[in-house]
Structure formats: structure tokens, C-alpha cells
Amino acid sequence: MYKVCMVSLGCPKNQVDAEMMLSSLKNAGFEICSAEAEADAIIINTCGFIEAAKAEAIENILEASNYKAEGNCKALIVTGCLAERYRDDVTEEIPEVDVCVGIGSNSKIAEIVKNAIEGKKENSYGEKTDLDLNGERILGGYPFSTYLKIADGCDNCCTYCAIPKIRGRMRSRTIEDCVAEAKRLAANGVTELIVVAQDTTAYGMDIYGESRLPELLSELCKIEGLHWIRTLYTYPDKITDELLDVIAGEEKLIKYLDIPLQHVNGDILKRMNRKGDKESLSCLIDKIRAKIPEITLRTTLITGFPGETEEQFCEMAEFVRDKRFDRLGCFTYSAEEGTVAAELDGQIDEQTKTDRMENIMELQMTIALEKNQEKIGTLTEVLVEGWDDYIKCYFGRTVADAPEIDGKVFFMSTRPLKIGDYVKVRINDCIDYDLLGELEE
């Protein structure tokens, strides 16, 4: 029996693809292992979205290649977005890689890995639409929290983004398929379900002719065993009153929205091929908070987009200061080859991009600390994720914290707790983005 180890990088959507490939490998008789040194084959499931992600992928590939000399590895295989984007260039530029597999060949991964171990090393690229969106998964991470990918690809065509070129046009799963998978996950112990797609608010438009996210979320709320349902990647121009009413009215839908604004200046947004401006986005944020007062709002922003003036940057900074987002990530613009924005006039130097990004994040740090200080003395529900042996306390997340990207709660308890429990914690202090507290007995 061959052993295979997979390292999955990038976004939650890529993680779901990795989990489906692992299931295919296990069903084909492979032993899944976590130690690269013991594996007959190592798979690096890559992200290829921006320059930093590509650098991380290459670093992991080169690290894994050491096991071809020092471990049992007979085949180093690259899958995911980097593989789909650059195809044969991967094996030509990185000779340590034995096989490159595009997303359209994910369903053939067991055969490809077996052949590669046995010496038949051929790259494989199916059609993007051959990527199966339904299937069994071997969950990575916590057994009580996972992602539900409701669509793949994207039709938005933002000028800075290579995802449509990598993943193709948006393909939604049916409501029935999504609900069926969610039921299986809940039956196997998942209590927090995180709904993802490149644009969740566009869900269903390709197969139903309209967004069906509100209906899907309502159906997911009927599933026994699910406690928290979180939605990521909601685009501002597609957030409807119907969606907000569903979030406000359904108890299982946690009051959290991730809205990637990217910028607020109307001219910059137009150059990004995105809709809106400062006024319309301000009205949207105000409306959301009026309809759902307890909502946690997360956004992402980009600094240094081609042509961004100091005045336009200051407009975005003022928006951040005024709207006081609960969660915010800011990234410097990355000029990706093959995108429209990479060819635009007015490319900005890296130092200016970085200075502007750091300015935004310093501003957000102050806002986040003030918001956390307001929580001191409150009682909040926490999902227990583990025990920190260094500081001798438990840690977990609140409804206001998505995994990996947001903060945590570190808290004391006089009794032992189980990982995956939902408990009440009294907040008594904070450190930057994290909260400190004690279990309410």
C-alpha cells in the first residue's frame, strides 16, 4: 500500500478540493499520512492567486523535494491553482516536480499518483469544467468546523484578479447537492458550517437565473446538528434586503458578514471593474447595521492599485476611520500577468503600496482594540478549539471570529472541556485582536 501526504495551501475553496482528492486516494487504497518523510508521494496543492501565494507554493515544493533524497518520496506532484495557471511551465521551471495536475484532472488523482510512483510521470490537464463539485471529503483541521463550497469559478472579472482565468466561469452546485452534503457533514459531527465560493452572493445565477443564496441559507438552517452557519465572500453590490432579512431572522445564521470592498473611491472601483463608490458603500454598511445591529462586519482592501492618488487613498482611510469595521485585512496591489490591471498606466512603487497598507492596518489596530475593550465584562459564546499548554488555558472563537483570519478567545476553566464544545465565557481583558476571559460556571 502506497503512502501519500498532501500539503494544501491557499483559500478554503482550495482546501475543499484537497479534501476531495484525499478521499479519492483513500478509496483507491492509498494510505494517507501526515509525515512527508514517510510518504511515497507528496502532493502540494497550491494557490496561484498573487505573488506572495506563488512564492509560498514554490517554497513548499522545494522543501518537499528534499524528501526525494532523504525520505521515501518517489513522486512530487503539484496540483491546485498554480498548476492550472502555469501548467507545463511548473515542471520545466522546477525540475524537482515530477507531475503537474490541473484542476480538471483532480478526479484522476489516484491513477496519476500511482503511475507517478511507478515511474510513469505525465502532466495531466482536463477541462476546467471537469472539476467535480460534488463528492466525498476527508476533512482537514477540526472535525467540528468545515467549509461548504457552493460554487467554483467567477464571472465578476475584476481587472486585478486571475481567478476567472484559473478557475473559469462560475459554476454553482444545486441547492439539493449543497444541502445533501451539509447533512452528511452534520451527521459526522460538524457543528460550524462556513459557506464559501468566489462570490457567494452570485450563487445560483448561472443555473437558476437569479441569486439563490437566501434560499440556500434557509434550507441549511433546517439541518439538525448545525449550530453556527457562517457566510464568507459576499460582494457588496449583490447584498439584498432578502439576504439581510434571512440573516437577521435565522438563529443558526451567525451575525457575521465578510464583504470584500477592495476600495471605496468610485474611479478606482471602476478601474477595478467593480461597482459602487464611497456614498453607496457607506449607505450599504449603514443599512446592514440598521437591519442587524449585532452584526460583525469584515472587509478587505487593496492599496496601491494603478492610478491610486494620495487623495483617493486618504478617502479610503477616512472611510475605514468612519465605518469602524470589526475585522479588516489590507493587502498591497499585486500586478498579476495576464490581468487587465497589470497593463494599466499609473503603476505604483512597492514602497508606497506598503506604506499605505501599513497606514490602514495601524488605523484598524486602534479600532479593533477599542472594539475589544468594549467587550470587557460581557458574556459571549465560544467554540472551544483547544488547550494552550504554554499559557495553560483553553482557546476558541466567538461568532465574530472566522477561523484562520480573525482573533481568538483565551480563557481559564476550573473544569475540563471537550474540543468542539460551545461554552459561555466572561470577557475580562484583551490583547490587540484577541480576547481574554474565564468560563462562566
Side-chain angles (χ1 to χ4, degrees), residues 112-175:
I112 291 169
V113 172
K114 180 177 182 295
N115 288 343
I117 292 172
E118 296 175 355
K120 185 180 178 182
K121 299 173 180 179
E122 295 181 359
N123 296 341
S124 181
Y125 313 106
E127 295 294 327
K128 299 181 199 300
T129 51
D130 289 343
L131 175 68
D132 197 349
L133 304 184
N134 299 308
E136 298 177 6
R137 296 159 56 188
I138 294 179
L139 300 185
Y142 295 113
F144 48 81
S145 175
T146 195
Y147 300 95
L148 178 70
K149 186 167 80 166
I150 61 176
D152 198 69
C154 187
D155 292 341
N156 290 330
C157 297
C158 301
T159 58
Y160 55 81
C161 183
I163 291 297
K165 292 181 178 293
I166 299 171
R167 291 276 172 170
R169 301 203 61 174
M170 182 172 186
R171 291 190 300 132
S172 299
R173 303 169 66 188
T174 65
I175 290 177

Side-chain angles (χ1 to χ4, degrees), residues 138-322:
I138 294 179
L139 300 185
Y142 295 113
F144 48 81
S145 175
T146 195
Y147 300 95
L148 178 70
K149 186 167 80 166
I150 61 176
D152 198 69
C154 187
D155 292 341
N156 290 330
C157 297
C158 301
T159 58
Y160 55 81
C161 183
I163 291 297
K165 292 181 178 293
I166 299 171
R167 291 276 172 170
R169 301 203 61 174
M170 182 172 186
R171 291 190 300 132
S172 299
R173 303 169 66 188
T174 65
I175 290 177
E176 292 78 12
D177 285 340
C178 293
V179 171
E181 181 179 4
K183 286 180 177 178
R184 290 195 300 271
L185 293 169
N188 288 322
V190 169
T191 59
E192 180 189 33
L193 193 68
I194 306 164
V195 177
V196 295
Q198 200 63 37
D199 175 0
T200 54
T201 37
Y203 167 75
M205 295 187 72
D206 54 318
I207 56 176
Y208 299 119
E210 61 181 356
S211 175
R212 299 288 283 272
L213 181 63
E215 180 181 343
L216 173 61
L217 293 177
S218 295
E219 290 300 315
L220 294 176
C221 288
K222 299 175 184 177
I223 298 174
E224 186 176 349
L226 294 180
H227 187 68
W228 286 354
I229 301 174
R230 187 185 303 272
T231 308
L232 301 184
Y233 314 120
T234 60
Y235 274 54
D237 58 292
K238 302 186 188 80
I239 295 176
T240 63
D241 288 341
E242 181 187 11
L243 176 61
L244 296 178
D245 289 341
V246 169
I247 294 172
E250 292 283 1
E251 185 178 351
K252 291 183 180 181
L253 290 180
I254 59 178
K255 313 317 175 195
Y256 179 108
L257 268 181
D258 167 48
I259 312 172
L261 298 182
Q262 313 304 17
H263 213 284
V264 303
N265 175 266
D267 291 337
I268 293 293
L269 287 169
K270 189 176 295 184
R271 285 165 68 87
M272 289 179 167
N273 195 35
R274 295 175 68 92
K275 297 177 181 178
D277 54 24
K278 181 180 179 180
E279 183 179 354
S280 65
L281 294 173
S282 178
C283 289
L284 173 65
I285 300 305
D286 292 345
K287 180 170 74 170
I288 292 171
R289 285 178 165 154
K291 278 182 170 286
I292 316 171
E294 68 272 39
I295 195 80
T296 295
L297 290 181
R298 162 172 261 284
T299 194
T300 52
L301 300 170
I302 297 173
T303 58
F305 188 80
E308 182 189 58
T309 65
E310 185 67 23
E311 182 181 9
Q312 290 167 333
F313 165 72
C314 289
E315 182 180 356
M316 181 163 67
E318 182 60 33
F319 189 88
V320 171
R321 188 178 293 108
D322 178 49

Side-chain angles (χ1 to χ4, degrees), residues 36-40 42 61-76 96 98 121:
E36 292 176 69
E38 299 175 5
D40 297 292
I42 300 173
I61 290 167
L62 295 178
E63 286 180 1
S65 71
N66 294 327
Y67 294 102
K68 295 174 73 174
E70 303 170 2
N72 295 326
C73 183
K74 303 174 185 66
L76 176 57
E96 292 87 349
D98 295 298
K121 299 173 180 179

